[in-house]
Amino acid sequence: MQGITQRREKPNEVVVTKPVLRCIERQKLEIDQRLILLDRLCCSAKNAKLRTLDVESSAALVAALRDRGAREVVFLDPTFNHRPGFEPLLDALIRENASRALTLFAEVRAEGLSAEHARKLKQAGFDRLEIGLQSVNRETLKRVRRGGSPDKVAEAARMLHGEGIELLVDLIVGLPGDTPEDVLRGMDFLDANGLAPEAQVFPLSLLPGTAMRASAGQDGVLFDPAPPYRVRRTATFSEDALLRTLLAAEERLGRRLDEWPRPHLAGSGLEGFASQEPSAQHVALWFRGLDLFARRAEILRAIDARLRLDPYGMLDVVLCPEEPFPLDLLDLVRARLQDAAPSYVSRALAHRGEDLQRRIAVVLRHPQPRDWVDAVRARAQVFQERTARDALRDAEELGATLPGARITGPVDADAFAELARRADADSVAFADPALELQWTWRVLGFGDAR
């Protein structure tokens, strides 16, 4: 291989441009960029002249990552099991990953997947795979040139599960020709085949260069012109129906489908009423005081200063009042954040009316009137400061009938484990940065958190 190390951006990070390699904790290796299938969702490169690494070169790159301490390799092939030399590559990966030092991940298709493939995938180190259902409407699958069969997906899932491989099963909302009823039938299919816990349900995005984007006008599809290029409506989905269908899927699954905009409440944060200086890419700007509404002009000026310093950073505005404030303060802060420079992150949850990049949280140090707290919770995330033992008295109600808990003071191992077992994980935050990091790693499952 030529020039594995191109440049070093961060400690323990190696970047390789041909092929693209990033070596942090989650390794990503693109070994085949050709699109074998005429899938209109992702065929931007089907006419491009791209290099495909042969089996031994691919295996050598994986071995190099292993030797450098990588833990996970993600293959970015659009369809891993349809790449040239798939079976010899599995044999090579089994050889190079005999110690199982690496966890491997890829996306596969049900068509052509055999029981022997499932066995070898597991042996090579693929503990988790993504498989596309996309839709249960066969006419829709034909229309997007996806083809395939939902029954084959179920059969492939049974084979992979039989080898102990976990799955992510994709169901897309907003495909041309699909209706809300088709998506709900897809949910029925997932549930009937035991795949609902592994479902990924998400709205369609029309990427530049794809055939589906080129035909959007004649298909009656309206989409956002900026990343993530999310579909806003189709001939069979109104904008409201798209959101209602996603929310219906969440209700069926009993979980939120999109990333939760978890506020950064560890430590003391930045003092909002102080002069603003350059800081980290993700900061929490705390405003503490008796009458925050009376100081609203200062709060807005501080937010403006923070946004000028880092217009594309992650920002949590944390209001920590000693007494209730008029709800107009939340509206003023949100309006100022909405005026900030848009980005991919700020648009990521726009279909839900949320901003993943710039958020508002309210932290209560003392109990406040219940009706006021409920009104604030309808507009922002609210956390009450509590000790671990105190929070355990209401663990099941945190984030439901009660505000979330920002845990202060010492937390022993038993209390930590009990909170993890009984409370909604997103409704518990810690003032202690070390405990917040452990919660993020062990309970929320974000192993690459820092």
Side-chain angles (χ1 to χ4, degrees):
M1 284 300 298
Q2 295 181 352
I4 284 187
T5 303
Q6 299 292 322
R7 55 196 171 94
R8 188 175 290 272
E9 294 184 334
K10 299 177 183 177
N12 301 321
E13 179 173 28
V14 177
V15 179
V16 179
T17 56
K18 290 185 179 180
V20 177
L21 276 176
R22 291 176 63 85
C23 179
I24 319 177
E25 288 190 355
R26 171 180 289 264
Q27 312 303 326
K28 297 183 179 181
L29 169 61
E30 185 156 349
I31 62 173
D32 181 7
Q33 299 181 75
R34 297 188 308 162
L35 300 183
I36 308 303
L37 303 172
L38 293 177
D39 185 339
R40 298 181 71 224
L41 280 74
C42 55
C43 60
S44 59
K46 70 184 179 72
N47 295 318
K49 295 179 180 179
L50 299 173
R51 179 167 64 111
T52 299
L53 296 183
D54 60 34
V55 168
E56 289 308 316
S57 296
S58 301
L61 283 173
V62 172
L65 288 171
R66 177 203 63 210
D67 294 342
R68 295 180 185 194
R71 299 191 306 182
E72 182 176 6
V73 176
V74 179
F75 293 84
L76 300 181
D77 303 65
T79 309
F80 184 63
N81 59 314
H82 288 184
R83 75 175 306 277
F86 169 61
E87 294 189 43
L89 177 59
L90 284 183
D91 292 333
L93 293 174
I94 290 170
R95 181 188 71 234
E96 298 296 346
N97 197 28
S99 66
R100 297 301 301 273
L102 296 170
T103 295
L104 310 180
F105 180 87
E107 182 173 358
V108 299
R109 285 195 59 166
E111 292 74 28
L113 197 66
S114 68
E116 179 67 5
H117 293 155
R119 184 185 68 80
K120 287 190 173 185
L121 283 162
K122 179 62 176 180
Q123 193 176 352
F126 288 91
D127 294 324
R128 201 177 198 199
L129 291 168
E130 185 172 354
I131 189 167
L133 172 63
Q134 320 303 19
S135 174
V136 294
N137 184 329
R138 292 179 183 246
E139 292 304 312
T140 295
L141 293 175
K142 291 178 183 176
R143 181 172 181 172
V144 300
R145 299 181 188 175
R146 173 77 185 186
S149 159
D151 292 334
K152 286 185 178 180
V153 172
E155 180 183 355
R158 285 190 289 270
M159 287 191 298
L160 295 168
H161 281 156
E163 296 294 336
I165 298 175
E166 297 179 359
L167 298 177
L168 294 174
V169 186
D170 299 335
L171 182 66
I172 299 178
V173 180
L175 286 172
D178 255 5
T179 65
E181 291 72 27
D182 289 322
V183 175
L184 296 180
R185 285 197 303 112
M187 295 300 304
D188 291 337
F189 176 87
L190 292 168
D191 193 48
N193 288 280
L195 299 174
E198 299 173 304
Q200 287 192 131
V201 185
F202 52 88
L204 175 66
S205 290
L206 296 188
L207 304 183
T210 58
M212 191 176 292
R213 181 174 172 129
S215 65
Q218 66 190 63
D219 289 335
V221 176
L222 178 68
F223 62 94
D224 289 326
Y229 311 111
R230 184 175 288 109
V231 165
R232 297 178 59 185
R233 69 170 181 264
T234 74
T236 51
F237 267 101
S238 67
E239 192 164 354
D240 181 62
L242 281 167
L243 179 57
R244 283 190 287 106
T245 303
L246 283 170
L247 296 179
E250 289 185 343
E251 186 173 354
R252 292 279 297 273
L253 294 172
R255 57 185 167 88
R256 182 180 166 106
L257 293 167
D258 294 302
E259 179 181 353
W260 185 260
R262 180 178 178 82
H264 180 48
L265 301 179
S268 58
L270 296 182
E271 174 53 52
F273 291 121
S275 176
Q276 296 302 306
E277 302 292 340
S279 185
Q281 285 188 318
H282 185 172
V283 302
L285 199 58
W286 284 69
F287 297 95
R288 303 171 177 89
L290 184 64
D291 187 352
L292 293 184
F293 188 73
R295 304 185 70 179
R296 59 192 180 276
E298 293 178 72
I299 292 174
L300 297 180
R301 282 197 296 272
I303 292 172
D304 286 343
R306 190 79 249 156
L307 293 173
R308 283 194 299 271
L309 284 169
D310 193 353
Y312 297 105
M314 299 286 285
L315 175 62
D316 286 300
V317 175
V318 184
L319 304 177
C320 187
E322 293 296 326
E323 61 182 27
F325 54 74
L327 300 183
D328 292 350
L329 179 59
L330 295 173
D331 297 334
L332 290 169
V333 171
R334 179 160 287 109
R336 189 58 52 93
L337 295 178
Q338 288 174 344
D339 285 341
S343 71
Y344 182 101
V345 181
S346 71
R347 290 186 293 263
L349 299 181
H351 61 295
R352 305 180 71 108
E354 299 172 1
D355 187 336
L356 183 60
Q357 182 175 1
R358 306 177 185 102
R359 300 82 67 90
I360 304 172
V362 177
V363 174
L364 305 176
R365 299 184 63 192
H366 312 290
Q368 301 292 351
R370 180 64 180 267
D371 57 347
W372 180 80
V373 172
D374 289 344
V376 174
R377 290 183 64 206
R379 297 170 180 240
Q381 295 188 66
V382 180
F383 289 79
Q384 177 79 53
E385 291 194 343
R386 308 177 71 167
T387 65
R389 290 299 173 189
D390 182 53
L392 281 170
R393 288 201 290 266
D394 305 304
E396 290 80 7
E397 299 305 314
L398 298 177
T401 62
L402 297 175
R406 181 179 187 251
I407 307 300
T408 59
V411 182
D412 60 40
D414 289 342
F416 189 96
E418 189 72 1
L419 278 170
R421 186 179 69 84
R422 294 172 50 198
D424 172 58
D426 286 313
S427 298
V428 177
F430 293 85
D432 184 335
L435 289 171
E436 175 69 12
L437 184 60
Q438 287 301 311
W439 188 265
T440 303
W441 277 354
R442 294 164 50 189
V443 181
L444 292 173
F446 298 136
D448 56 351
R450 287 288 183 272

